[in-house]
C-alpha cells in the first residue's frame, strides 16, 4: 500500500499514457491528479488546479482552516473567491496599476508555497484525510512557481501520510527540480505500452537502420489504427538513405491518412492547448495552413474566455491569442492583462516571460505604449530576481528607441535604482545613481498636469532619499521624504495615491530608525499601520523597534500579528521565538524555532538558539544533534563551537571542551561567552590564573556583571581579597540578579581583610534579601 512506502515517487516515461497506467495502480486513500503543463493556466497551473479540487470540500467541513490560509489560496487559485472571501487586503493588493509604487518581495511566492503545504498538512491533522496521494503530471512542462512549490512539498511532506507522485517525460529538467527529485523520490521508469509510446522513443533515435529493425520487429499485430506505421516500416526499409532524419519518416505517416483525419488530429492538439504528446496530432497541427491554424486558435481562445475562469487568462488564452489571427492586438492585450496581474502578485519570472512574449508580437515603432509596458514591467521583475544587468540593457534600448519624456523619466528612475540597489557591489555607483535620479526629477518637474507633476516629483525624490541614505546623508533623506509627504497632502485629493503616501511614511520611519530616533520611527510605523493594517512586514519591523526600546510585550504582540497577516516566513517566527525565550516560554520558543527550521533548514541562528534551549533543559543529546547539524552547514561558526564546548563539559570531556571553546575564539575573538566558559572550565580544573586571564579578556569586550562575579570568585580562590571585593562591588552596581551570593562572598572578603563592620553590613543586607 502507498501509505507504507517511505518515499515519494517519480514516474518517468516518454508518454503520458504509460505514466497514467502506473499512477492508476498507485492510488490509495484520497487521490488527486493535476496536469501541471503551463500552457493551461500559466503560473501555478498545477498547484491552482489542486486547490480548486480540494478547497470547496475542505471549506464545507472546516471553513476556519481554509480562512486561516485564505491569502495563499486566493493568490494561487483566484477563482475560489466564489467559494469564500477574505477582508485582509493591503494597500499593495488594492492599488490600481497606475498607483502601484510598491511591489511584493521576490520571496513572497516561497511563502505562498509554505502556506499551501501547511494547509495540506492541516487537512491531515484535522483527520479529514487519513492519507493523501497527489499526482502531478507533465512536471517537465511546469512553470517556475509550480516547480518551487513542488521542491518544497517534496522536502516537507511526510510520504507516510502525504505521498507526492511526480510524472515527467525523459526530457532534462531544471537543475533545482532535478536535485529535489533525486533527493526525495524513488524513480520508476515506465516502459512504453503501445505503438504510440514507442513512436515517442523513436523520435530521439538517429540511425535509420535502428528504425528499420525495430519497426520490422514490433509492427506485427498492431491494430488497424496503426496501419500507417506499417507503411512507414516499408518506407524506411526501402527508401530512406543513411543519415536521413527521423522527421522524414514521421512525415510519411501523415501522408498516408486522409485530410479529414489530419484535421481531426490537429483540432485535438489545439483543444489540448497544444500539450498532447501524440506525435501524429502534433504533425497534423504543423501541416495546417497558416490561416486555418490561426482561426482555430482564435476559436479556442473565444471558447476559453466564455468559461470566465481567471487563471485561464494567465495560460491558455494568451497562448492562443499569440498564435491567432491578431497577435499584435488581441495577443498583446491578453499578454498585458496577464503581465499586469503577475507583477502585482509578485510572480516575477512569469512577468518576465509575458514581457518578452509581448515584445515579440508587437510592432515596436507603431505600438510604443505596448512596447514600454512590456519592457518596464519585465525590467522591474528582472531587478527583483537579481538580474539587473539584463534590465539595464533593456532600459538603454528603450532610451534609444523613444523620445517620450515620461518614458525617459521612468527609465532614469529605474536605472538609478539599479546603480544604488540592484547591481553587484563592484558596479554600484551612488553618484551615478544620483545623476540618473536628478534627470528623472527634472523631467517630472516639467510635466504639464499639476497632480501628475506633484506625484512624479515626490516619487522620484523618494528615490533620491534612498540614494542619500546610501551616501550616508540620512538628514537629507529625512528632509526629502518629509517634504514629499507634505506636498502630496497639499496637492492631491485625500484618497489619491494612498499606497505611495504609506510608502513615504514607512521610508521616513526607516530613516528615523537608522539614525536612532526610535520614538519618531515608532510614531511613523504606527501611522502607516493605521493606514495599511494588514501588511505583515510593518508589524515585524515595529516589533523590532519595540525590542530596541525594551518594550517586549508590545513586540510580542506585533510579531503575533506579523505571523497572522501573511503566509509563513521565517523572520516573523524567529523573532517571536526570541521574545518567547526571553519570557521563559521555552516550549513556545522551541515550537517557533522548529517551524523556522522546517521552512528554512539553513536558518542557522534558529538552529543555534534551539540547541541552546535544549542544552538549558538538559536535553544534551538533541542539543548535540542540532550543533552537529549546524557545524555541517558552517564549520567555522563560533557560537556553535561554544555550545559544543558546553555539551562536552556536561559530558565531563574537559579536554575536548577546552578545544571547542578555543576553536570558537579562533573564529570570533570577540565572543564573550566563549571566554567566560573557557574560564569556568579552567577554574574547575584549578587553573585559576588561566581563568582570571580569560575573564579579564571578556571584560575588555563587555562590562558584564556575571563575568565580574566569576572573576571575583577566582580572585577569592587566590586570596586576592581586595580585587575580589572590587569585582563584587562593580557587579552589584550593574545588576541585582545574584545579589545574595555576591553580598555573602564580599562579606567573607571583608572579614579576611579585618573589616568586620563592613562584613557584618553585607551579611545583614544579604539576610534582608532572602524571601
Amino acid at each position: 500500500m502507498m501509505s507504507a512506502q517511505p518515499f515519494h515517487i517519480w514516474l518517468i516515461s516518454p508518454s503520458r499514457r504509460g505514466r497514467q497506467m502506473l499512477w492508476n495502480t498507485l492510488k490509495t486513500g484520497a487521490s488527486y491528479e493535476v496536469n501541471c503543463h503551463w500552457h493551461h493556466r500559466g503560473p501555478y497551473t498545477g498547484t491552482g488546479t489542486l486547490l480548486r479540487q480540494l478547497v470547496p470540500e475542505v471549506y464545507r467541513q472546516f471553513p476556519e482552516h481554509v480562512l486561516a490560509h485564505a491569502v495563499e489560496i486566493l493568490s494561487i487559485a483566484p477563482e475560489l473567491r466564489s467559494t469564500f472571501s477574505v477582508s485582509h487586503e493591503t494597500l499593495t493588493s488594492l492599488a490600481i496599476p497606475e498607483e502601484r509604487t510598491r511591489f511584493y518581495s521576490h520571496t513572497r511566492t516561497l511563502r505562498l508555497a509554505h502556506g499551501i503545504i501547511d494547509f495540506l498538512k492541516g487537512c491531515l491533522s484535522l483527520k479529514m484525510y487519513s492519507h493523501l496521494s497527489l499526482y502531478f503530471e507533465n512536471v517537465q512542462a511546469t512553470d517556475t512557481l509550480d516547480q518551487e512549490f513542488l521542491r518544497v512539498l517534496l522536502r516537507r511532506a511526510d510520504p507516510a501520510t502525504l505521498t507526492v507522485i511526480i510524472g515527467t517525460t525523459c526530457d532534462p529538467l531544471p537543475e533545482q527540480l532535478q536535485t529535489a527529485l533525486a533527493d526525495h523520490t524513488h524513480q520508476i521508469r515506465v516502459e512504453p505500452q503501445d505503438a504510440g509510446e514507442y513512436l515517442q522513443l523513436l523520435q530521439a533515435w538517429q540511425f535509420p537502420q535502428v528504425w528499420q529493425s525495430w519497426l520490422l520487429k514490433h509492427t506485427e499485430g498492431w491494430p488497424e489504427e496503426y496501419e500507417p506505421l506499417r507503411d512507414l516500416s516499408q518506407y524506411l526499409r526501402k527508401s530512406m538513405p543513411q543519415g536521413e532524419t527521423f522527421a522524414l519518416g514521421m512525415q510519411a505517416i501523415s501522408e498516408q491518412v486522409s485530410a479529414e483525419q489530419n484535421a481531426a488530429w490537429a483540432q485535438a492538439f489545439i483543444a489540448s492547448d497544444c500539450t498532447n504528446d501524440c506525435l501524429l496530432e502534433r504533425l497534423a497541427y504543423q501541416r495546417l495552413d497558416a490561416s486555418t491554424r490561426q482561426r482555430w486558435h482564435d476559436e479556442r481562445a473565444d471558447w476559453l474566455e466564455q468559461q470566465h475562469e481567471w487563471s485561464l487568462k494567465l495560460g491558455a488564452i494568451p497562448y492562443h491569442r499569440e498564435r491567432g489571427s491578431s497577435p499584435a492586438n488581441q495577443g498583446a492585450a491578453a499578454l498585458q492583462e496577464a503581465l499586469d496581474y503577475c507583477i502585482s502578485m509578485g510572480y516575477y519570472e512569469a512577468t518576465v516571460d509575458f514581457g518578452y512574449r509581448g515584445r515579440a508580437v508587437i510592432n515596436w515603432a507603431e505600438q510604443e505604449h505596448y512596447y514600454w509596458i512590456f519592457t518596464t514591467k519585465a525590467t522591474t521583475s528582472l531587478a527583483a530576481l537579481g538580474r539587473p544587468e539584463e534590465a539595464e540593457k533593456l532600459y538603454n534600448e528603450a532610451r534609444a528607441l523613444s523620445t517620450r519624456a515620461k518614458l525617459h523619466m521612468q527609465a532614469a528612475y529605474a536605472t538609478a535604482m539599479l546603480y544604488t540597489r540592484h547591481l553587484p557591489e563592484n558596479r554600484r555607483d551612488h553618484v551615478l545613481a544620483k545623476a540618473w535620479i536628478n534627470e528623472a526629477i527634472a523631467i517630472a518637474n516639467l510635466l504639464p498636469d499639476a497632480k501628475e507633476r506633484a506625484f512624479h516629483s515626490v516619487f522620484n525624490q523618494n528615490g533620491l532619499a534612498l540614494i542619500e541614505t546610501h551616501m550616508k546623508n540620512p538628514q537629507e533623506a529625512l528632509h526629502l521624504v518629509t517634504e514629499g509627504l507634505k506636498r502630496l497632502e497639499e496637492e492631491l485629493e485625500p484618497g489619491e495615491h494612498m499606497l505611495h503616501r504609506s510608502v513615504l511614511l514607512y521610508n521616513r520611519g526607516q530613516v528615523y530608525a537608522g539614525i536612532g530616533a526610535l520614538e519618531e520611527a515608532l510614531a511613523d510605523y504606527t501611522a502607516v499601520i493605521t493606514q495599511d493594517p494588514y501588511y505583515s512586514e510593518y508589524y515585524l519591523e515595529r516589533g523590532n523597534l519595540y525590542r530596541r526600546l525594551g518594550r517586549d510585550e508590545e513586540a510580542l504582540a506585533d510579531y503575533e500579528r506579523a505571523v497572522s497577516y501573511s503566509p509563513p516566513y521565517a523572520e516573523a517566527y524567529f523573532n517571536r521565538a526570541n521574545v518567547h525565550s526571553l519570557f521563559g516560554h521555552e516550549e513556545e520558543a522551541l515550537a517557533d524555532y522548529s517551524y523556522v527550521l522546517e521552512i528554512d533548514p539553513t536558518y542557522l541562528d534558529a538552529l543555534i538558539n534551539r540547541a541552546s534551549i535544549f542544552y538549558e533543559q538538559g536535553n544534551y543529546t538533541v542539543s548535540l544533534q542540532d550543533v552537529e547539524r549546524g557545524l555541517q552547514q558552517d564549520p567555522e561558526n563560533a557560537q556553535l563551537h561554544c555550545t559544543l564546548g558546553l555539551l562536552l563539559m556536561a559530558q565531563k570531556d574537559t579536554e575536548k571542551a577546552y578545544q571547542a571553546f578555543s576553536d570558537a575564539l579562533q573564529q570570533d575573538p570577540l565572543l564573550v561567552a566563549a571566554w567566560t566558559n573557557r574560564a569556568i572550565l579552567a577554574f574547575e580544573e584549578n587553573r585559576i590564573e588561566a581563568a582570571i586571564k580569560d575573564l579579564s579578556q571578556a571584560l575588555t569586550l563587555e562590562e558584564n556583571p556575571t563575568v565580574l562575579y566569576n572573576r571575583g570568585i577566582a580572585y577569592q580562590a587566590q586570596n586576592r581579597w581586595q580585587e575580589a571585593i572590587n569585582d563584587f562591588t562593580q557587579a552589584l552596581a550593574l545588576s541585582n540578579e545574584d545579589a545574595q551570593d555576591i553580598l555573602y562572598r564580599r562579606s567573607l572578603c571583608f572579614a579576611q581583610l579585618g573589616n568586620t563592620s563592613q562584613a557584618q553590613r553585607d551579611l545583614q543586607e544579604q539576610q534582608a534579601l532572602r524571601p
Side-chain angles (χ1 to χ4, degrees), residues 511-527:
V511 177
Y512 276 136
I515 63 176
L518 301 186
E519 292 295 345
E520 291 84 350
L522 187 62
D524 276 354
Y525 272 96
T526 300

Side-chain angles (χ1 to χ4, degrees), residues 35-152:
N35 187 340
C36 296
H37 203 298
W38 70 269
H39 284 193
H40 293 307
R41 294 173 187 266
Y44 287 126
T45 290
T47 313
T49 301
L50 175 65
L51 292 175
R52 282 184 287 274
Q53 294 180 39
L54 273 173
V55 168
E57 180 58 31
V58 179
Y59 186 69
R60 280 191 288 273
Q61 297 188 43
F62 299 101
E64 68 286 348
H65 182 53
V66 171
L67 292 175
H69 297 279
V71 172
E72 48 265 48
I73 290 171
L74 294 179
S75 294
I76 292 173
E79 292 89 352
L80 289 171
R81 287 185 182 274
S82 62
T83 302
F84 69 97
S85 61
V86 62
S87 60
H88 291 173
E89 298 279 7
T90 67
L91 287 179
T92 300
S93 64
L94 291 171
I96 60 175
E98 292 77 11
E99 294 192 359
R100 180 62 72 97
T101 59
R102 176 179 63 203
F103 297 94
Y104 290 118
S105 163
H106 72 280
T107 63
R108 182 174 187 261
T109 57
L110 184 60
R111 300 182 189 184
L112 296 177
H114 284 300
I116 296 303
I117 293 165
D118 288 346
F119 169 74
L120 295 172
K121 295 175 77 170
C123 291
L124 293 162
S125 299
L126 291 167
K127 308 299 182 184
M128 184 168 179
Y129 308 104
S130 59
H131 183 273
L132 271 174
S133 296
L134 306 179
Y135 178 44
F136 297 90
E137 171 55 65
N138 269 332
V139 169
Q140 80 286 343
T142 56
D143 82 296
T144 56
L145 298 185
D146 266 340
Q147 291 174 30
E148 179 180 64
F149 171 76
L150 290 173
R151 293 197 307 268
V152 179

Side-chain angles (χ1 to χ4, degrees), residues 22-44:
L22 186 54
W23 157 239
N24 289 336
T25 70
L26 295 173
K27 291 180 183 178
T28 186
S31 302
Y32 294 88
E33 175 182 347
V34 296
N35 187 340
C36 296
H37 203 298
W38 70 269
H39 284 193
H40 293 307
R41 294 173 187 266
Y44 287 126

Side-chain angles (χ1 to χ4, degrees), residues 185-227:
T185 67
H186 172 72
Q187 296 182 27
I188 302 176
R189 290 188 175 268
V190 187
E191 291 301 319
Q193 300 296 319
D194 61 23
E197 292 168 42
Y198 280 119
L199 266 173
Q200 303 299 309
L201 289 177
L202 284 174
Q203 191 175 21
W205 293 0
Q206 298 300 312
F207 301 103
Q209 62 267 31
V210 176
W211 306 335
Q212 294 173 36
S213 60
W214 189 91
L215 283 164
L216 288 171
K217 178 180 179 181
H218 291 281
T219 54
E220 287 300 319
W222 281 4
E224 289 184 9
E225 58 265 31
Y226 291 111
E227 189 66 32

Side-chain angles (χ1 to χ4, degrees), residues 642-664:
C642 187
T643 305
L644 177 61
L646 291 171
L647 290 164
L648 292 167
M649 279 180 68
Q651 295 173 358
K652 308 301 182 183
D653 192 339
T654 55
E655 184 177 346
K656 288 184 179 179
Y658 194 86
Q659 184 59 50
F661 292 132
S662 299
D663 289 343

Side-chain angles (χ1 to χ4, degrees), residues 610-730:
R610 189 174 73 172
S612 296
I613 293 177
F614 283 136
Y615 168 79
E616 295 295 338
Q617 290 181 336
N619 197 343
Y620 300 140
T621 301
V622 179
S623 179
L624 183 59
Q625 290 173 353
D626 276 357
V627 169
E628 290 174 341
R629 174 179 161 186
L631 287 171
Q632 286 179 347
Q633 292 183 33
D634 184 3
E636 299 179 352
N637 187 280
Q639 288 180 289
L640 286 169
H641 282 290
C642 187
T643 305
L644 177 61
L646 291 171
L647 290 164
L648 292 167
M649 279 180 68
Q651 295 173 358
K652 308 301 182 183
D653 192 339
T654 55
E655 184 177 346
K656 288 184 179 179
Y658 194 86
Q659 184 59 50
F661 292 132
S662 299
D663 289 343
L665 291 170
Q666 183 177 357
Q667 302 303 328
D668 184 4
L670 304 181
L671 186 59
V672 171
W675 289 111
T676 304
N677 289 318
R678 193 173 74 167
I680 292 171
L681 185 62
F683 184 85
E684 290 178 352
E685 294 183 315
N686 203 34
R687 293 188 292 114
I688 310 301
E689 195 57 43
I692 291 173
K693 182 179 179 181
D694 278 358
L695 292 168
S696 298
Q697 180 62 39
L699 286 167
T700 66
L701 302 171
E702 175 186 294
E703 191 177 41
N704 185 297
T706 301
V707 178
L708 286 162
Y709 173 34
N710 286 335
R711 192 174 68 172
I713 294 173
Y715 282 140
Q716 192 177 14
Q718 287 191 327
N719 300 333
R720 295 162 68 175
W721 312 116
Q722 187 58 54
E723 289 165 291
I725 288 171
N726 294 343
D727 276 359
F728 291 145
T729 302
Q730 191 175 356

